[in-house]
Amino acid sequence: MAEELIPSDGKLTGQLTKSLLAVAFLSSFGSSMLYGYNLAVVNSPAQYIKAFYNQTMQSRNGTSLSEETLTLMYSLTVSVFAIGGMAGSLLVGVLVTKYGRKGTLVKSTVLVFVAGALMGFSRVCGSPEMIIIGRFITGVHSGISLSVVPMYLGEISPKNLRGFLGLMPSIFICVGVFVAQVLGLHELLGKEEYWPLFLSLVVIPTLFQLLLLPWFPESPRYLLMEKRNIHATITALKWYRSKGDIQSEIKEMQEEQRSLSSVQTVSVLGLLMDRSVRWQLITIVVVNIGMQLSGIDAIWFYTNAIFENAGIPGPQIQYTTVGTGAIEVLSGMIGCFTIERLGRRPLMIGGFTFMGICCAGITVSLLLQASVPFMRYISVGCVVGIIAGFCIGPAGVPFLMTAELFKQSHRPAAYIVAGLLNWLSNFTIGFVFPFLQMSAGSYCYLVFCGVCLLVATYVVVIIPETKNKTFVEISQMFAARNGVLDDNSTEQSGTEQLKLTKFNGYGTLSHEEKAIHRE
């Protein structure tokens, strides 16, 4: 009977169950969305926050702040989020090893509640420091969740749905930006009296996650390969899979476990020294740095200025910006619903190439708009094109790739490297771009064009298609390029292998394994 539950072609295919969809929604809604929200939430109330800083310092010291000092304090408020993100990314390996993937998401919610309280009561307490500290703490939370959510979803997903579920966090990041843009409208929370509430609303999605996510199981791969708890693994798979998927998936996980040189989690140093994953490591370095150095952050920062140059009236620019947020969400959904049909490579190649073309288009339009009036509208179209191209592929696929290119023992360290590079590049582009613009003028966007085209070329030449492949199969695809033998033939001793018998369609412990656990 059990044999009938395994597809005749031997391929593991999984269905999108309600449990999978619910976990993807909860983890993305309560964690990933906050990253997008916190990116955009400080834009609308900027003048009110600066006024609060000035009034507070005047009441403390008797003198107003200079324009330079006020700008510095606000810049610190914005950039400290990225500093917190870098700190959070460094904690990922320790946290996911100790508490698990789901456990890390649940326990890290305390950071959001602390940050929300600090920012929400900052005006009542007359403390600008509370805003800055709150922003840092939200950055730490985002640094953790930006790595842990795709890691968790990548491990609980069947291989034929890993791309779809793996891009769901990127959709919610776009949703977070869009929600912040909408709530920041003057008709809603864009008034002076509402900015503390605006900053502290992050606690609402996190509360839903805290109440509901603990009821769902931990990652089956984490339970089997790191905790070696076969009972909990089977329970988790029963929860996330339809009955016919379990036997095949446990067999695939055991195959990966046999291929591991060690079931212990590899450190960052161990990852950097391991030549068997050399090209996987180079790949996540290239795609994560390229994602941030593509110029998307600079485009977001200067969108209002480009729209103003295009002749859009000042009061209408906020609505135009909300429109770009809607385009982000729509583009993210297009990528999510097409990735399992098109694959990872087309979304990355197409996204980066289109962004590169649009970056070049912005340069041309800015140079010619003084003499050719309609070029102003070309620049607006290029901005929209860059945002759409980014959200379709480069916004989410690099995080998915980090999960897919590494097996269980190397995955936490890979996410530390990817997350740190991502946040460091984010901070660097925000710091360097104003100087680059001053020195290169309109030609500065050609730098981003070059980066986009180089990353697209790298994907074409180096990265294989990982759609519908197991983690072991992906590792084997890189084995020849890394110059190592296929490690799938590595056998573990009898006491290390988890033996299963088939019973009513589910795996259960064999008599030998039960005896081992009793000992």
Side-chain angles (χ1 to χ4, degrees), residues 138-447:
T138 57
V140 173
H141 175 265
S142 292
I144 295 171
S145 62
L146 206 60
S147 294
V148 178
V149 172
M151 186 190 306
Y152 182 36
L153 296 182
E155 291 184 4
I156 68 173
S157 304
K159 64 181 182 179
N160 62 304
L161 294 174
R162 200 164 55 227
F164 171 74
L165 294 176
L167 285 195
M168 195 168 288
S170 67
I171 292 180
F172 276 86
I173 290 173
C174 297
V175 170
V177 173
F178 179 64
V179 169
Q181 291 170 339
V182 172
L183 293 179
L185 294 174
H186 187 72
E187 294 82 353
L188 297 176
L189 298 181
K191 299 178 181 179
E192 184 172 7
E193 59 267 29
Y194 293 139
W195 68 259
L197 173 64
F198 192 23
L199 295 180
S200 61
L201 282 180
V202 290
V203 302
I204 295 178
T206 305
L207 180 62
F208 277 98
Q209 185 186 77
L210 180 61
L211 292 176
L212 298 176
L213 190 59
W215 297 96
F216 290 85
E218 181 56 80
S219 161
R221 290 179 177 275
Y222 171 79
L223 294 172
L224 178 66
M225 299 183 191
E226 297 187 37
K227 290 301 182 182
R228 305 187 64 77
N229 189 335
I230 184 63
H231 295 292
T233 301
I234 295 171
T235 301
L237 284 173
K238 287 180 182 179
W239 188 286
Y240 288 129
R241 300 288 187 270
S242 61
K243 189 175 181 181
D245 295 323
I246 293 178
Q247 288 288 346
S248 299
E249 188 140 6
I250 289 182
K251 180 180 178 182
E252 184 260 310
M253 283 192 288
Q254 287 184 301
E255 180 184 356
E256 179 180 346
Q257 188 181 40
R258 286 192 296 270
S259 72
L260 294 176
S261 58
S262 170
V263 294
Q264 300 298 319
T265 302
V266 174
S267 66
V268 173
L269 180 60
L271 175 69
L272 297 176
M273 300 295 292
D274 190 348
R275 61 189 294 265
S276 68
V277 293
R278 178 188 303 158
W279 279 100
Q280 290 98 311
L281 180 61
I282 294 173
T283 295
I284 66 166
V285 169
V286 170
V287 297
N288 280 278
I289 291 180
M291 177 172 62
Q292 294 298 336
L293 299 188
S294 64
I296 186 65
D297 294 311
I299 291 297
W300 276 331
F301 189 76
Y302 284 93
T303 295
N304 287 359
I306 294 175
F307 289 161
E308 186 177 349
N309 289 335
I312 298 175
Q316 303 301 319
I317 287 180
Q318 61 174 339
Y319 303 107
T320 308
T321 303
V322 170
T324 63
I327 291 173
E328 291 178 38
V329 176
L330 179 61
S331 301
M333 293 180 66
I334 291 173
C336 185
F337 286 102
T338 59
I339 188 170
E340 293 300 355
R341 180 178 297 273
L342 299 178
R344 285 68 163 150
R345 278 167 49 90
L347 293 185
M348 288 286 283
I349 296 168
F352 275 114
T353 301
F354 191 62
M355 289 177 71
I357 294 172
C358 290
C359 283
I362 287 183
T363 298
V364 174
S365 62
L366 291 177
L367 290 173
L368 298 179
Q369 68 181 11
S371 57
V372 185
F374 77 86
M375 280 295 177
R376 296 178 178 181
Y377 304 102
I378 298 295
S379 64
V380 172
C382 288
V383 167
V384 173
I386 290 173
I387 293 173
F390 179 76
C391 293
I392 285 177
V397 176
F399 297 110
L400 173 63
M401 279 188 172
T402 306
E404 290 188 324
L405 298 188
F406 295 90
K407 290 188 283 189
Q408 195 75 16
S409 57
H410 293 68
R411 195 170 295 128
Y415 267 105
I416 293 176
V417 173
L420 182 62
L421 290 174
N422 199 296
W423 286 99
L424 187 61
S425 301
N426 184 306
F427 181 80
T428 300
I429 198 66
F431 182 79
V432 170
F433 181 72
F435 300 99
L436 179 63
Q437 191 180 44
M438 285 189 295
S439 60
S442 301
Y443 294 99
C444 66
Y445 293 98
L446 292 180
V447 176

Side-chain angles (χ1 to χ4, degrees), residues 437-478:
Q437 191 180 44
M438 285 189 295
S439 60
S442 301
Y443 294 99
C444 66
Y445 293 98
L446 292 180
V447 176
F448 303 133
C449 172
V451 171
C452 290
L453 296 180
L454 285 174
V455 175
T457 302
Y458 180 89
V459 176
V460 171
V461 176
I462 300 297
I463 303 179
E465 180 56 65
T466 58
K467 181 183 71 172
N468 208 28
K469 297 287 193 300
T470 67
F471 295 120
V472 172
E473 289 171 342
I474 294 170
S475 178
Q476 293 169 353
M477 292 164 68
F478 277 93

